[in-house]
Every structure is written in C-alpha cells, then in structure tokens.
Amino acid sequence: MPVYPRAVKSKLPKAGTTIFTIMSALANEHKAINLSQGFPNFETSAELISLVNQFMKKGMNQYAPMQGILPLREVIAEKMETLYGIKYNPDTEITITSGGTQAIYTAIAAVIREGDEVIVMEPAYDCYTPAIELSGGIPVFVKLKAPDYTIDWEAVKKMVTNRTKMIMINTPHNPTGAVMTASDMKELEKITSGTDILVLSDEVYEHIIFDGVRHESVCLYPKLAERSFVIFSFGKTYHTTGWKTGYCLAPANLTAEFRKVHQFLVFCANTPIQYALAEYMKKKEEYTELPGFYQKKRDRFINLIKGSKFKLKPAAGSYFQLLDYSDITKEKDTEFAIRMTKEAGVASIPVSVFYHESSDDKLLRFCFAKTDETLEQAAERLLKIY
Ligand code: PMP
C-alpha cells in the first residue's frame, strides 16, 4: 500500500509506539525475562474462565446494555458499600467499561474542553496526557516528591488556577508503588472544596496494597466522592489484563455525561465477561486475599535480589518495584533498560518515560506479577549485573 499522499497533521505529535510495546518486543526478540509490561504471567482462575465459557454457551454473545449488565453493576454497588461505606446507585452511577484506560479516556472526553487545565502528578501512567490533549485540555504537571513519591500539596496548590478543571490522582501508584494517605485525601479535599474542580481517581490497583495499609479511596471521603470519577479495572484484580473490562463510578450528573461519550466510543463492554464477573465477584475472598498474595510476591522478589547492586525503593502497593541502578552505571535509564534486556536478559521499564520531559533518576520499574520461577530466574540474572 502506498502511503497517503497528503500531509498528515498529527493530533498527538509527541506520541510514538509506547515503551511497553517496545520493551515487550525487545524481550521477545532477545528471549529476555519480561518484567517490563504490567501483566501477570500466571493464569486466572479456571472457574472464572469456565464461567465465561458457560455464558457464551448460554447465548450471552450479543451487545450488553450500554451501561453494563445490571447484575454486575449491583454486585459492584454492594462491594463499594461493604468496603468503603458508600452507596452508588447501579442505575445511574455505575458504568461498565472496556477496561480502565477506556474509562479514563471517556471521563476526560466527557468533561474537558479546549483550554481546561488538568493537574497530573508525575511520574504518571502514560494514557493520561494524550487523553487530555485530544480533548483540547492542558496538562499541568506536578512532580511527586523524591524519595518516596509523596504528593507535594504546596506545589499542587500553586498550580491551581481558575482554569483548573480536574485533578488526577492514582493510588496505589504506577510506576512508583506509592500509596496516598488519609492526610493526602484531606489535602485534596481542602484544595477542591468550594471549587468546580473535578477529581479523576485511578484506583485500578485498589486491592494490591501491602503491610496492612488501608486503600485510601476517594470513596471513603464523601466530599471527594461527590466530585470524582473513580476508575477500577478487573484486569488487575482477577489476573485478566487482556479482557479489558473495568468500571467507572461517579455521581449521577457526572455519570450521565460519561455515558454520552461511552455510548459512542464503545457502546458497551464485552457481554459474556460481564456475566461471568457478576457471578465471580460474589467470591469476596478473591479480592480480600489479593493484598496478601501480591505482598508475598513483592517480598520474594526483594529477598531474591538482596546482594545485587540495585537499590530498592519502597513499594507500598501496585505490582511494581522500582530499582535504583546508580551504583551500576551512569547510563540513561532508557539506554540501560535496552542494554539490560539484550545483554542480561531481563526487560524492565525506564521510569523517565512516565515524565513529559526528560528526567534521569536512574530508576527502572520491574513488574513482580510473575510466577515464583520467573522471579527466581530474573533475580539470578539481576544478581550478575555489576
Ligand atoms: N491505570 C493504571 C495506573 C494502570 O497501570 C493501568 C493498566 N496498566 C490502567 C489504568 C488501565 O487499566 P486497563 O488495563 O483495565 O485498561
């Protein structure tokens, strides 16, 4: 096919192939152990797979209702009430989406207009900024504070203007593993109180939080919940990132706007998967036991790499561990990540890609949502890097 003969004016001139695609391809090419992209390399439950299968065989293969099937919205409402003491109306305040990414895009597209400012904390998950820019919004960046990636609320306050339309937060945080505290939530409450500022709270790792710490959802804070789109993903909770199913919770008037975009973007999410999840979510232990499951993986990984030249950053949540390689080389993180994949056979993600402009903290992100065997093999290789 010849290329399109006219000039193409990109709407996202800075976006290329994402680093996740690049590193996974490089890992395949060099047969490296892939700790780069955030996905489990172990199976989801056989029971969940069998449920999807059963619903397919029962004929649940056509469009679902635009907002998602009612039994799934109901079981989500029940879970939110039990865990966070908040009532979301399944009819008007809960929408099932094709994953967290679609939910984030949809929420932003629904409310952000040309010239609106959106505060984004960096390092930030990579889909935030393009979504803001495609809606004509202006991302306003605030750096998380080293060494623990806490939020610098004074810096956030300074960035608030009368054009600020939204503040985006993410807890537990990708890529740093930091979690927000109750005092962070109070600060957010103070900053937004009496304003029209909306909050987008990305809580896709709500159940991957360690050391007995409570997940500080905006849903625990009524004054925040009333101005928030809260985003969740079944992919993280049920080891099914490829199923791309998630949900967005928001007050009815915000949900109405969300659904206007959702219905023309995807119309609805995958039907048999929704039915299967509605059943499977009744097994509460699947999510209540997830923190323990992933804490063991985190601890195994950090124990295995003890004695290596990498320095650990504390990981309080998510399935990522940051490693500081400044004692090994002065190379830029992108260069080192590529060389390590090719020469040492372990793929990771350089943290600089989570910033809009170059940064060089000499940090790599490793995903520990892997089998013990994979973690052992990776650690063996990491121990050899000097
Ligand atoms: N937010 C964060 C912080 C994530 O890490 C991810 C997945 N990597 C998502 C949102 C998107 O979730 P999903 O895969 O369900 O689209």
Side-chain angles (χ1 to χ4, degrees), residues 163-269:
R163 289 188 303 277
T164 307
K165 182 77 191 181
M166 179 183 271
I167 298 178
M168 295 182 75
I169 56 167
N170 171 212
T171 186
H173 186 256
N174 175 12
T176 68
V179 300
M180 287 173 70
T181 61
S183 105
D184 287 321
M185 292 300 169
K186 293 270 178 255
E187 290 290 342
L188 183 59
E189 219 174 72
K190 263 194 255 164
I191 287 183
T192 52
S193 159
T195 73
D196 291 339
I197 301 172
L198 300 170
V199 171
L200 188 150
S201 186
D202 178 344
E203 303 187 13
V204 300
Y205 298 104
E206 75 179 312
H207 299 302
I208 311 185
I209 183 158
F210 313 129
D211 307 313
V213 170
R214 175 175 87 156
H215 167 55
E216 291 296 330
S217 172
V218 286
C219 298
L220 291 164
Y221 300 86
K223 288 267 166 267
L224 287 176
E226 72 181 26
R227 59 173 76 242
S228 294
F229 292 99
V230 202
I231 311 289
F232 299 91
S233 170
F234 293 108
K236 316 291 176 190
T237 303
Y238 296 119
H239 320 308
T240 53
T241 59
W243 291 7
K244 296 299 288 185
T245 312
Y247 51 103
C248 174
L249 311 180
N253 49 350
L254 291 178
T255 292
E257 296 308 312
F258 181 95
R259 288 181 180 173
K260 286 180 193 170
V261 176
H262 173 78
Q263 71 182 337
F264 296 124
L265 189 58
V266 291
F267 184 71
C268 67

Side-chain angles (χ1 to χ4, degrees), residues 95-114:
T95 312
I96 312 300
T97 62
S98 297
T101 312
Q102 186 237 307
I104 292 165
Y105 185 87
T106 304
I108 290 171
V111 296
I112 298 302
R113 292 185 162 84
E114 196 71 35

Side-chain angles (χ1 to χ4, degrees), residues 14-264:
K14 285 175 270 165
T17 309
T18 79
I19 189 74
F20 309 103
T21 310
I22 294 169
M23 292 309 294
S24 281
L26 200 66
N28 278 342
E29 188 189 331
H30 293 275
K31 305 212 169 3
I33 299 171
N34 189 3
L35 303 191
S36 65
Q37 215 173 347
F39 60 84
N41 74 337
F42 41 85
E43 260 314 326
T44 185
S45 103
E47 188 185 337
L48 180 55
I49 290 175
S50 151
L51 279 168
V52 176
N53 216 293
Q54 280 171 39
F55 283 110
M56 284 177 163
K57 285 185 183 151
K58 277 191 198 157
M60 306 306 193
N61 298 307
Q62 311 308 329
Y63 296 125
M66 180 273 283
Q67 64 274 43
I69 63 158
L70 184 60
L72 182 56
R73 286 181 283 123
E74 280 174 344
V75 71
I76 290 169
E78 189 200 313
K79 170 180 162 178
M80 294 310 295
E81 190 164 2
T82 315
L83 291 189
Y84 305 110
I86 188 167
K87 277 192 205 291
Y88 278 99
N89 182 330
D91 288 330
T92 55
E93 299 173 336
I94 300 178
T95 312
I96 312 300
T97 62
S98 297
T101 312
Q102 186 237 307
I104 292 165
Y105 185 87
T106 304
I108 290 171
V111 296
I112 298 302
R113 292 185 162 84
E114 196 71 35
D116 284 344
E117 294 177 358
V118 181
I119 294 181
V120 176
M121 323 277 174
E122 279 192 329
Y125 184 54
D126 68 340
C127 77
Y128 298 171
T129 300
I132 296 164
E133 289 176 342
L134 284 171
S135 289
I138 302 163
V140 174
F141 299 102
V142 178
K143 263 194 181 177
L144 293 173
K145 262 194 305 197
D148 294 344
Y149 296 100
T150 47
I151 297 177
D152 183 343
W153 289 107
E154 282 311 309
V156 175
K157 253 183 245 168
K158 282 190 194 136
M159 292 300 183
V160 172
T161 70
N162 55 6
R163 289 188 303 277
T164 307
K165 182 77 191 181
M166 179 183 271
I167 298 178
M168 295 182 75
I169 56 167
N170 171 212
T171 186
H173 186 256
N174 175 12
T176 68
V179 300
M180 287 173 70
T181 61
S183 105
D184 287 321
M185 292 300 169
K186 293 270 178 255
E187 290 290 342
L188 183 59
E189 219 174 72
K190 263 194 255 164
I191 287 183
T192 52
S193 159
T195 73
D196 291 339
I197 301 172
L198 300 170
V199 171
L200 188 150
S201 186
D202 178 344
E203 303 187 13
V204 300
Y205 298 104
E206 75 179 312
H207 299 302
I208 311 185
I209 183 158
F210 313 129
D211 307 313
V213 170
R214 175 175 87 156
H215 167 55
E216 291 296 330
S217 172
V218 286
C219 298
L220 291 164
Y221 300 86
K223 288 267 166 267
L224 287 176
E226 72 181 26
R227 59 173 76 242
S228 294
F229 292 99
V230 202
I231 311 289
F232 299 91
S233 170
F234 293 108
K236 316 291 176 190
T237 303
Y238 296 119
H239 320 308
T240 53
T241 59
W243 291 7
K244 296 299 288 185
T245 312
Y247 51 103
C248 174
L249 311 180
N253 49 350
L254 291 178
T255 292
E257 296 308 312
F258 181 95
R259 288 181 180 173
K260 286 180 193 170
V261 176
H262 173 78
Q263 71 182 337
F264 296 124

